[in-house]
Amino acid sequence: MTTKAFRLASIALGASLTLGAFAVPVFAAGDDSSTTPTCKKGEIYDQKAKKCVKQQSANVTDENRADYAYSLAKKDHRYEEALAVLDTMKNPNTAEALNYRGYATRKLGRTDEGISYYQKSVAMDPKYTLVREYLGEAYVIKGQMDLAKDQLGTIKTLCGNTSCEEYRDLHAAILNPSSL
């Protein structure tokens, strides 16, 4: 092998290794809300089986259903489908499920309905910072900045500082309401 050919091969190998280090699964790229793969409509990702199954499958836990619904709403903007998945839960009255239902309904433009779900979630788990962020964002949409700032203050207290993601996201929404 000539010196020139060896250099070219070394450069090609180095480039391949560098690009490989930055490779991520398609479903994990972009939003960090979930690394859950997206299934066809009417299916749900079964975390235990690591595959898509029929939505009505009895083997999928409520927690799995709630997580998948949130992934559909947050990552894929499939809000109606997210609500349909939440409707299949045996116990849809958990803080997480109510928060995710609030998120999907708010994103569908039904802000008051979303707020009612967020408030139920807060009542179940007052220390759940993600629901407080989303409740605050709903208040921003409604122009109720005082209530949004109340949620921001509560998040700061719960996090112990202003560096947690929920605080940063709500603070950004208060500063720039048009971002919502």
Side-chain angles (χ1 to χ4, degrees), residues 27-90:
F27 55 80
D31 195 289
D32 66 350
S33 65
S34 177
T35 56
T36 304
T38 302
C39 302
K40 296 184 301 188
K41 187 173 183 176
E43 292 184 342
I44 185 171
Y45 184 73
D46 184 336
Q47 293 170 348
K48 187 175 180 182
K50 305 277 189 238
K51 65 179 184 177
C52 293
V53 298
K54 294 285 183 205
Q55 194 167 293
Q56 298 299 332
S57 175
N59 296 332
V60 180
T61 66
D62 274 1
E63 182 180 356
N64 190 153
R65 290 174 192 280
D67 290 344
Y68 186 68
Y70 185 56
S71 177
L72 283 173
K74 182 80 173 169
K75 184 177 76 168
D76 297 326
H77 310 287
R78 292 164 55 184
Y79 309 117
E80 293 288 353
E81 288 178 63
L83 293 172
V85 170
L86 291 170
D87 287 342
T88 67
M89 294 177 65
K90 290 181 180 87

Side-chain angles (χ1 to χ4, degrees), residues 1 3 19-20 25-26 40 42 45 48 50 61 64 69 98 102-104 110 112 117 122 125 147 158 162 168 173 178:
M1 182 180 260
T3 304
L19 290 174
V26 172
K40 296 184 301 188
Y45 184 73
K48 187 175 180 182
K50 305 277 189 238
T61 66
N64 190 153
L98 290 166
Y103 181 84
R110 301 178 346 225
D112 289 330
Y117 290 120
V122 167
D125 186 356
L147 295 176
L158 292 171
T162 60
R168 290 191 320 264
S178 64

